Amino acid sequence: MGRMYGLSDAETAEGISRSDLFSIFHPDEVAQDPELRRSVREEGGLFVWEHRIMPAPGIVRWILVRGHYKRGADGQMRGRGIVIDVTDSRIDGQIDGPARFLTAYEAPGAILERIADRAIEACELIRTLEADKSVHLRLLIDALLHELGCQLATSLQDDPPAPKRPRSARIH
């Protein structure tokens, strides 16, 4: 996620403030529905948010975030989830449907949502294992989360995905 958002390894390791993170978001996205974002962060729950970021001057990327906020034993609200760059599916810069807005879910719906919830839980458990004993599991769960994110992004679109742009094309 750090590299996707244009963060250095040091910034990723240390963590960045919410205001620094929001400075990476496209200005139109930050203005979009701040009350719902605040509500999910403070009360917890599942969320899906497709938004634009500007990781470097002149570069705009479309990002799909799906996860949940949950209060820990220490009382702190923690967010966990998956982040996928879906820019290739948004080549024309237009999106329709529910992915355009932050959406809080009271209960999981479709089968992909339920699978993603369990995969996120499994990911959290795998990350508690000793690194040398969980390398293969971490690779597998990361691949599963990536594929689930792609399938969720596709399921949120009303229209078929746009044809893929050649890898040599740049987004400006």
Side-chain angles (χ1 to χ4, degrees), residues 4-112:
M4 195 181 306
Y5 280 69
L7 302 173
S8 69
D9 289 342
E11 289 171 312
T12 301
E14 292 173 22
I16 64 169
S17 68
R18 185 174 288 125
S19 63
D20 287 343
L21 180 63
F22 275 99
S23 73
I24 299 168
F25 290 4
H26 190 283
D28 293 344
E29 305 298 343
V30 176
Q32 196 86 31
D33 213 349
E35 180 59 29
L36 187 52
R37 279 197 313 273
R38 184 202 57 76
S39 172
V40 171
R41 272 194 330 271
E42 290 179 5
E43 297 171 23
L46 300 173
F47 64 90
V48 175
W49 187 25
E50 189 166 327
H51 59 280
R52 291 167 290 173
I53 62 170
M54 300 174 70
I59 296 175
V60 176
R61 306 294 299 166
W62 286 96
I63 304 298
L64 174 68
V65 180
R66 195 242 181 258
H68 68 276
Y69 277 98
K70 186 170 144 184
R71 194 166 306 284
D74 62 358
Q76 293 274 43
M77 189 63 75
R78 303 228 190 284
R80 301 259 190 238
I82 57 177
V83 180
I84 305 225
D85 185 329
V86 293
T87 304
D88 287 343
S89 68
R90 299 295 180 215
I91 196 162
D92 61 359
Q94 300 297 314
I95 64 173
D96 298 312
R100 178 67 184 93
F101 305 100
L102 175 71
T103 306
Y105 293 96
E106 303 251 337
I111 188 74
L112 285 175

